[in-house]
Amino acid sequence: MKIHPMWEAYPELQSELIQTIELIDSKIHLRNKPIEHALIDMMHTGGKLVRPAYTLLFSTFGEDHDPSRARALAAAIEVLHMATLIHDDVIDDSPKRRGQKTIQSKYGKDVAVYAGDYLFTVSFKLLTDYSNSVKQTQINTKGMERILMGEIDQMNLRYHQKITVRNYLTQISGKTAQLFALACYSGALEGGQNERFARNCYYIGSHIGMAFQIMDDILDYSQTTESFGKPVLEDVRQGIYSAPLIYAMRENYTVFKELLGKKEQMTNEDTAKVQQLVIDLGGLDEAQRLAGKYTDKALKPINQLPASPEKEIIRKVTVSLLQRTI
Amino acid sequence: MKIHPMWEAYPELQSELIQTIELIDSKIHLRNKPIEHALIDMMHTGGKLVRPAYTLLFSTFGEDHDPSRARALAAAIEVLHMATLIHDDVIDDSPKRRGQKTIQSKYGKDVAVYAGDYLFTVSFKLLTDYSNSVKQTQINTKGMERILMGEIDQMNLRYHQKITVRNYLTQISGKTAQLFALACYSGALEGGQNERFARNCYYIGSHIGMAFQIMDDILDYSQTTESFGKPVLEDVRQGIYSAPLIYAMRENYTVFKELLGKKEQMTNEDTAKVQQLVIDLGGLDEAQRLAGKYTDKALKPINQLPASPEKEIIRKVTVSLLQRTI
């Protein structure tokens, strides 16, 4: 099995991640084989697996570290992530994800909605089958609940041209940072670390997630459709305005007003215009600075983790993850 | 709080059901208050609450009966049911449910997809917060998984004019009977009954669910839009062919071929024509016979349950539920 090349530098972790994916594969069973294969394919094509990687890494600090339980937890986190991706694609009517056709565009909305639901239950099944306590399941359930509350709460902000940086940060905190936080926090607890240590890992994960999402939003403005594997500025058409655009609108709101007012009717030409305006008005640089702030916030407590080979990997992975070339 | 009048005859159970709904209300928290209220409203408007009622009733047979745990389990079952209803309405683009606007038609697809997801996690939260064992959570997770596998597997059969009664039974087994089975089975286990007893309850629930769904499908052909609270034969337009139609097609396939071939383009006139044809060809009578078969299959083991006031309620509720006037 092949996973993202970024893990080649860490052979042990790479092997753990492969076993995590194999565990997931073994839990996906449908009589409808084409859909089963589509889900398994999706699991194999190009996801970076950063969330389960953090779970595995943070589980090594405790005294009760059990690799097979840690893998089940990592698998649950990744499957949960997949479920939300499939539903995101339903909501956005996205034709492609990671350069591949989405489940919805291949099999229709009905299959995509139920496939996401099915993966939610697979995630819970992984949690309950391997967890050593009801408490671990509770923690994850609560984390998942918070993620979905965040998704719903952000709906308010669609097409909101007066969106502030603060609104944006609340939004990505629910959408992305919570799952990173959960990955690190529940990993630490699973390994047997105490609540105080795990809380610290929660904040590390949250900061990583914030920086990660800001970087992702920057990429949206700095890539072409071909290089990115999905349409550029599709989010803007859908009314989701992220950091680069918000900063650019702060510089000069009037140039965007009419363009954004077209909402779903924005043409590819319109979005290209928005992209160029954002670059010209320095929106990318400002967003880059914001991402840097969160990267620093994550790296400081990472540097204070107890010395171990895994600590070094966490540091290196975080640095390389958050310095993706724009 | 008002719940469906069918429970007025059983004051104790009625009070338990009200407490179950109150428990659910207390678990639904969103910053977005309009959506929070919409979800709570949906919980309060007209659902029959048969699934949680069976859970409560079957939990009384064991020696370890704990009303507060049983209510949490019943609540989890009802919330899971709600989640699937919301997603069903997304898939079918239904404008109304129980005479009320659906979440999707009120707030859009995005909110409806995430609201369903959120309710899935609320359901799991109820399970893990109150369950006395990981095992109970495992059972429910496995049950939920099977329900969603069933939903996905039935997708194959849309617009399939050669659908057989056997196909139909497999379909409704996954879609409806599994959740009834889970409600009864997990109720019995929660009360402390042994696996053998609970298995029996599983089959009782499954038979009730089969009969219930067949009755529901019959209603679709025997009511007008106004009396039913949702469009008549909407399912047929969506390519879901149920017992009455399948039996009628067995009598005379050719009269349906062209009408059904129009798929989503079927007009209200077309569906009215299908409705009349099904009645004329005796499809309703045959379906009624099929429902009766499952009702009998459910009532026989119900009669053999240990004598108790709850056994009597189970019997009466099942009889009245499955003899809804057509």
Side-chain angles (χ1 to χ4, degrees), chain A residues 27 29-32 35 87-88 90-91 93 109-111 113-115 117-118 120-122 124-125 128-129 133-134 137-138 141-142 144-145 148-149 151-153 155-156 158 170, chain B residues 27 29-32 35 87-88 90-91 93 109-111 113-115 117-118 120-122 124-125 128-129 133-134 137-138 141-142 144-145 148-149 151-153 155-156 158 170:
Chain A
K27 297 291 172 186
H29 295 295
L30 292 169
R31 258 192 308 256
N32 189 323
I35 298 174
H87 281 177
D88 285 349
V90 170
I91 285 167
D93 280 321
K109 185 172 65 170
D110 41 9
V111 169
V113 171
Y114 291 138
D117 293 352
Y118 170 68
F120 274 114
T121 67
V122 171
F124 281 106
K125 201 164 132 54
T128 53
D129 281 0
S133 71
V134 173
T137 313
Q138 280 172 351
T141 310
K142 220 173 144 186
M144 291 185 188
E145 196 195 3
L148 288 158
M149 286 164 86
E151 299 262 27
I152 295 174
D153 288 330
M155 294 293 110
N156 280 343
R158 288 217 169 189
T170 308
Chain B
K27 297 290 172 187
H29 295 295
L30 293 170
R31 259 192 307 254
N32 188 323
I35 299 173
H87 280 177
D88 285 350
V90 170
I91 286 167
D93 280 319
K109 186 172 66 170
D110 40 9
V111 169
V113 170
Y114 290 138
D117 293 351
Y118 170 68
F120 274 114
T121 67
V122 171
F124 280 105
K125 202 165 130 57
T128 52
D129 282 358
S133 70
V134 174
T137 313
Q138 281 173 349
T141 310
K142 220 174 145 184
M144 291 183 187
E145 196 195 2
L148 288 158
M149 286 164 84
E151 298 261 28
I152 295 175
D153 287 331
M155 294 293 111
N156 279 344
R158 289 218 167 188
T170 307

Side-chain angles (χ1 to χ4, degrees), chain A residues 168 172 175-176 208-218:
Chain A
Y168 166 74
I172 67 172
K175 195 171 78 170
T176 307
I208 294 172
M210 296 297 282
F212 183 81
Q213 183 61 52
I214 300 166
M215 294 298 299
D216 210 54
D217 292 335
I218 291 171

Side-chain angles (χ1 to χ4, degrees), chain B residues 73 131-141 186 189-190:
Chain B
L73 180 59
S131 166
N132 53 346
S133 70
V134 174
K135 194 177 171 242
Q136 182 71 42
T137 313
Q138 281 173 349
I139 287 161
N140 283 280
T141 310
S186 64
L189 280 186
E190 174 60 48

Side-chain angles (χ1 to χ4, degrees), chain A residues 157 160-172 241-247 249-250 290:
Chain A
L157 292 167
H160 200 299
Q161 296 190 11
K162 298 281 150 100
I163 182 175
T164 63
V165 174
R166 182 186 288 258
N167 293 150
Y168 166 74
L169 293 174
T170 308
Q171 192 175 83
I172 67 172
Y241 304 150
S242 65
L245 177 57
I246 296 170
Y247 282 120
M249 284 200 283
R250 222 153 72 167
L290 185 68

